[in-house]
Amino acid sequence: MPFPIKEVRAAYPALSDGHAYLDGAAGTQTPRPVIDAIATSYRTGIGNVGGAFPASHRSDAIVAACRAAVADLVGGHPDGVILGPNMTTLTYRLSRALAGPGDEVVLSRLDHDANVRPWTQTGATVRWAEVDPTTGELPVEQYADLINERTRVVAVTAAGNILGTRPDVPAIAELAHRAGALMYVDGVHATPHGPVDMRALGADFYATSAYKWSGPHVGAVIADPALLETVRPDKLASSPDTVPERFETGTLPFADLDGVTAAVDHLAAMVPGTGNRRERLLTSMAAAEAHELALFAVLLEGLEQLPYVTVYGKPARRTATAYFNVAGRTPRQVAEHLAKLGVNVWNGHNYAWELTGALGIRDSGGAVRAGLVHYNDRSDVDRLLDGVSRLG
């Protein structure tokens, strides 16, 4: 059956303002069930966890439900879901517990800086996997020469956040595990764009951010609970030493966690499905991915037909994310022009610091990024193409 785009869009109040929201790669809009869940949580009354009173019990239940929902989304275990303010903060925390002087880490130029800089600052020796600047691919073959018995962690993205490249993570993971290294997979950009199975990817750690898939600003890193038992992060003497709580500093945002659960439930219900929530998520997200890629084919063809537009990268497997420049205009000028037409896009390096450097465009302002998510429709694409065509 066709993806029910009208019904999906109707769930997002922000879309009624008439803008074409093609900025989803930087953060999605929020559907009504998520907004309602957060508001209801605050109206009902919540307390900190571990108390003897009902408001505290509600928070205990909210945290447990959130862990279960995130686990369903990525194919993990609820007891291995670490929650925090965002992926960057959690990656900084985990990097210091996983690597240090005397270790080696393998990083990629494809990655968002949040899966690069935390590792470079651990004191470990860094070895780099390079990107083909023409195709935007991350060749797997190079990893055989980069990974060795001193490699502690291989950190790589499941999807590049500006070119959309989906590298062969399972093949990289096989090489990493053969050498006894851990795989830290940045799934922030990948998770909104299709079904996720962290075990099939070979991810020992899988990082994601709920605000990229219709939730509030909450981050999560998911791992096998047994693996987490072997990792000892710095923590307060008085805070829990259990897993996953030992990785969570401070008090969690309980109402927002209610919103995370609602976001997962929303994603699972976008198309009719049967089975448990995990099974419904796989069905729904596969349908959303097909919808996005069909629209993206139109967007990409339209941009490539304009002789004054340069589109970066042509990976074989990708998310519906376009990164381009317009001759004679800075990326900011293009974004401002489109904003006047009610089309929201991003400009700049978008934290793909290493990749924009490899492409030779970081110091000149990067490029324009237009990213499709499940609530975008053909009219959004047409408005973008019309706006860019006026710059010729």
Side-chain angles (χ1 to χ4, degrees), residues 22 25 133-134 136 160-165 189 296 299-300 303-304 309-315 318-326 331 334 345-372 384:
L22 296 174
T134 301
N161 73 306
I162 59 172
L163 303 183
T165 305
H189 187 70
F296 186 62
L299 186 155
L300 198 57
L303 289 175
E304 290 177 339
V309 171
T310 299
V311 180
Y312 298 96
K314 46 184 178 181
R318 68 193 305 179
T319 64
T321 311
Y323 199 54
F324 64 95
N325 266 322
V326 176
V334 176
V345 297
W346 273 99
N347 65 281
H349 56 69
N350 296 285
Y351 294 90
W353 189 255
E354 297 293 334
L355 181 53
T356 50
L359 294 173
I361 58 176
R362 183 175 66 208
D363 295 338
S364 59
V368 179
R369 181 177 65 179
L372 298 170
L384 172 73

Side-chain angles (χ1 to χ4, degrees), residues 28-277:
T28 50
Q29 299 307 304
T30 310
R32 193 170 290 104
V34 174
I35 298 168
D36 291 345
I38 295 171
T40 297
S41 186
Y42 279 124
R43 280 196 300 266
T44 303
I46 46 179
N48 212 328
V49 294
F53 50 93
S56 177
H57 297 166
R58 281 193 287 272
S59 294
D60 291 333
I62 286 171
V63 174
C66 181
R67 295 197 205 281
V70 173
D72 280 348
L73 180 64
V74 305
H77 191 287
D79 292 343
V81 175
I82 304 166
L83 300 168
N86 50 65
M87 176 269 186
T88 304
T89 298
L90 290 174
T91 301
Y92 262 111
R93 181 157 177 73
L94 282 159
S95 67
R96 272 126 190 83
L98 293 173
D103 295 323
E104 290 191 3
V105 294
V106 178
L107 310 179
S108 95
R109 305 277 186 200
L110 180 65
D111 275 69
H112 187 288
D113 210 38
N115 203 29
V116 172
R117 220 53 54 192
W119 302 104
T120 68
Q121 295 165 356
T122 62
T125 299
V126 175
R127 296 168 69 87
W128 289 100
E130 304 292 345
V131 177
D132 183 322
T134 301
T135 65
E137 298 282 12
L138 184 68
V140 172
E141 296 76 17
Q142 64 186 309
Y143 279 89
D145 296 325
L146 296 171
I147 298 170
N148 58 56
E149 68 279 0
R150 294 182 300 278
T151 305
R152 175 64 175 152
V153 175
V154 176
V156 70
T157 187
N161 73 306
I162 59 172
L163 303 183
T165 305
R166 289 185 177 273
D168 191 348
V169 175
I172 298 170
E174 182 178 353
L175 292 170
H177 291 152
R178 193 182 303 164
L182 295 168
M183 280 290 291
Y184 194 96
V185 177
D186 176 5
V188 172
H189 187 70
T191 307
H193 298 295
V196 174
D197 186 339
M198 62 175 286
R199 291 188 179 93
L201 287 172
D204 296 297
F205 298 87
Y206 186 88
T208 186
S209 291
Y211 77 101
K212 297 296 181 79
W213 33 266
S214 300
H217 282 258
V218 173
V221 174
I222 306 91
D224 187 318
L227 173 58
L228 293 181
E229 292 285 0
T230 69
V231 182
R232 310 298 307 189
D234 291 335
K235 59 176 285 299
L236 300 180
S238 52
S239 64
D241 195 38
T242 51
V243 167
E245 291 84 2
R246 73 165 67 134
F247 298 91
E248 298 168 345
T249 57
T251 301
L252 293 170
F254 303 117
D256 281 348
L257 300 190
D258 236 354
V260 171
T261 302
V264 174
D265 287 336
H266 167 74
L267 295 177
M270 288 191 297
V271 301
T274 58
N276 60 33
R277 181 169 57 190

